[in-house]
């Protein structure tokens, strides 16, 4: 005999109670984002989490100093890719030890081209968001997947070696309508006169040309030019928070370049850290290692969250999603 048959009044009362509870829950949830007390509580929890993660990141920095002392004992004595029995590579000194306080997921294809992303659910509701992508190379699955998840987002793509975004965007009308491609290079200084080829712009100049004061998602894959370009960009803000929320960056430490010198690379990386960038994920480019067999792991993907400033990954700001 069923519960309703044995206790019809109790069953009806229970169903009514469940229905009312669901209504209250939905109603409460829908207004939480507009409730000042709920916002303060949520922001306080988020700030506490960020402070805890920063403390753990500090422990990793102490470990970095200890590793330098062990194998150096000074930075100038560190071989970034040793081959005499030392058990480390350059990347062991720069671990992605910060935790994104939101969902972390890989966006784009499974393979070279996909990127690790922090808090897509925080970006998706925005009615207006901006993504910059430097380095297209005929493959745009990452950019396309972000655009699909965030209907209010537009992407600005730059690559002097190709003529357009990849087919993932070019063959989808809605995505193409929200995409803007330019055959420019990203550099440490502007060079776009009649004789300059490729035309080169700093990131700050491009933001000014486009009328943007903030970039939600910044992807940079420019075959070694990332060092000078980002260094100049950071220096131009003279200690003020950088105007982007997160950075997907492929780092290229090619043999024979100045950036394979450990002290120089360390100083550049510490500049990123001082500007508020914290790596929350890394992925070595094993496709490169596999194709060019026997080479050292010069290429690695890093994803950073910017822990300074005021943006969706750091605080609940409903007004910014409107």
């Amino acid at each position: 005999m069923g519960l309703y048959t044995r206790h019809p009044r109790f069953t009806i009362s229970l169903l009514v109670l469940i229905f009312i509870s669901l209504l209250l829950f939905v109603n409460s949830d829908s207004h939480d984002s507009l409730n000042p007390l709920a916002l303060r509580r949520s922001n306080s929890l988020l700030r506490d989490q960020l402070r805890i993660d920063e403390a753990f990141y500090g422990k990793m920095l102490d470990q970095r100093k200890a590793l330098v002392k062990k194998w150096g004992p000074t930075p100038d004595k560190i071989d970034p890719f040793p081959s005499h029995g030392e058990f480390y590579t350059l990347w062991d000194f720069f671990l992605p030890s910060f935790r994104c306080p939101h969902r972390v997921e890989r966006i784009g294809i499974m393979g070279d081209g996909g990127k690790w992303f922090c808090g897509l659910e925080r970006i998706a509701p925005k009615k207006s968001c901006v993504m910059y992508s430097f380095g297209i190379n005929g493959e745009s699955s990452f950019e396309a997947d972000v655009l699909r998840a965030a209907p209010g987002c537009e992407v600005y793509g730059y690559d002097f070696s190709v003529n357009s975004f990849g087919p993932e965007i070019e063959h989808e009308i809605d995505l193409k309508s929200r995409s803007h491609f330019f055959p420019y290079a990203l550099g440490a200084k502007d060079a776009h006169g009649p004789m300059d080829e490729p035309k080169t712009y700093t990131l700050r100049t491009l933001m000014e040309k486009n009328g943007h004061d903030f970039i939600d998602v910044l992807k940079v894959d420019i075959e070694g030019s990332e060092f000078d370009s980002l260094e100049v960009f950071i220096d131009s803000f003279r200690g003020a928070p950088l105007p982007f929320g997160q950075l997907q960056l492929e780092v290229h430490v090619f043999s024979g370049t100045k950036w394979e010198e450990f002290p120089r690379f360390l100083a550049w990386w510490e500049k990123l850290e001082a500007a508020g960038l914290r790596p929350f994920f890394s992925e070595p480019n094993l496709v490169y290692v596999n194709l060019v067999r026997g080479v050292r792991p010069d290429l690695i993907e890093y994803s950073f969250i910017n822990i300074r400033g005021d943006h969706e990954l750091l605080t609940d700001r409903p007004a910014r999603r409107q």
Side-chain angles (χ1 to χ4, degrees):
M1 185 179 294
L3 179 63
Y4 178 80
T5 306
R6 289 181 294 175
H7 306 284
R9 292 182 180 179
F10 172 80
T11 304
I12 293 172
S13 300
L14 180 61
L15 291 173
V16 170
L17 181 60
I18 292 173
F19 180 72
I20 293 174
S21 298
L22 286 172
L23 285 179
L24 289 173
F25 174 79
V26 172
N27 187 60
S28 172
D29 185 66
S30 64
H31 290 285
D32 253 2
S33 61
L34 302 178
N35 185 323
L37 180 60
L39 280 177
R40 285 197 297 271
R41 184 165 57 247
S42 176
N43 286 330
S44 177
L45 291 172
L46 187 53
R47 284 192 297 270
D48 288 344
Q49 184 174 340
L50 289 166
R51 278 194 293 267
I52 292 171
D53 290 332
E54 182 70 354
F56 278 105
Y57 195 77
K59 291 183 177 180
M60 187 278 298
L61 296 182
D62 292 337
Q63 291 178 316
R64 178 191 299 167
K65 294 176 183 177
L67 195 61
V68 169
K69 185 176 181 179
K70 175 181 179 180
W71 294 107
T74 56
D76 59 296
K77 302 298 184 182
I78 297 292
D79 181 350
F81 298 100
S83 58
H84 302 289
E86 301 91 337
F87 293 96
Y88 71 86
T89 70
L90 174 66
W91 313 122
D92 290 306
F93 293 86
F94 306 99
L95 301 179
S97 299
F98 200 87
R99 184 179 61 165
C100 161
H102 312 292
R103 177 178 170 81
V104 174
E105 57 186 310
R106 202 173 190 281
I107 306 296
I109 63 170
M110 295 179 68
D112 192 24
K115 310 290 179 183
W116 288 95
F117 201 98
C118 171
L120 182 58
E121 74 278 5
R122 311 281 288 194
I123 307 299
K126 295 185 66 174
K127 291 187 176 179
S128 177
C129 77
V130 173
M131 173 167 51
Y132 276 37
S133 179
F134 294 95
I136 306 301
N137 196 28
E139 205 287 315
S140 299
S141 62
F142 170 71
E143 295 84 352
D145 282 355
V146 173
L147 290 179
R148 292 188 188 102
C153 205
E154 298 189 4
V155 60
Y156 290 73
Y158 300 89
D159 192 329
F160 62 90
S161 69
V162 295
N163 298 317
S164 68
F165 286 102
E168 298 83 0
I169 285 179
E170 292 296 319
H171 296 168
E172 194 163 331
I173 295 176
D174 174 60
L175 303 188
K176 187 173 175 59
S177 69
R178 293 187 278 131
S179 305
H180 315 274
F181 178 85
F182 304 90
Y184 304 153
L186 178 66
K189 61 181 180 179
D190 294 328
H192 46 81
M195 302 301 293
D196 292 314
E197 191 62 39
K199 297 188 185 303
T200 304
Y201 295 87
T202 68
L203 178 53
R204 188 146 191 173
T205 296
L206 289 174
M207 291 183 69
E208 291 170 356
K209 283 173 62 69
N210 296 328
H212 297 144
D213 58 10
F214 187 80
I215 301 171
D216 294 275
V217 182
L218 174 60
K219 189 208 87 172
V220 178
D221 182 359
I222 52 177
E223 307 304 313
S225 296
E226 63 271 9
F227 296 104
D228 292 327
S229 300
L230 289 176
E231 191 169 58
V232 166
F233 183 68
I234 291 172
D235 288 345
S236 72
F237 283 88
R238 302 181 182 276
L242 299 179
F244 59 81
Q246 64 183 292
L247 167 65
Q248 281 75 32
L249 173 68
E250 183 163 63
V251 182
H252 308 74
V253 184
F254 293 125
S255 178
T257 64
K258 64 183 180 180
W259 297 107
E260 72 169 344
E261 300 171 12
F262 187 85
R264 190 183 293 270
F265 186 92
L266 175 63
W268 176 80
W269 186 275
E270 289 178 339
K271 184 184 288 287
L272 269 60
E273 291 174 327
L277 300 184
R278 298 290 182 270
F280 64 87
F281 217 103
S282 69
E283 179 181 294
N285 189 326
L286 298 180
V287 172
Y288 167 74
V289 173
N290 184 57
L291 289 176
V292 189
R293 296 181 185 278
V295 301
R296 67 188 195 184
D298 293 343
L299 278 57
I300 187 170
E301 301 271 2
Y302 277 101
S303 294
F304 298 82
I305 178 176
N306 180 7
I307 65 168
R308 300 183 60 200
D310 178 19
H311 56 86
E312 278 73 18
L313 301 183
L314 305 182
T315 183
D316 286 307
R317 290 287 301 277
R320 294 196 61 173
R321 301 193 185 103
Q322 294 176 357

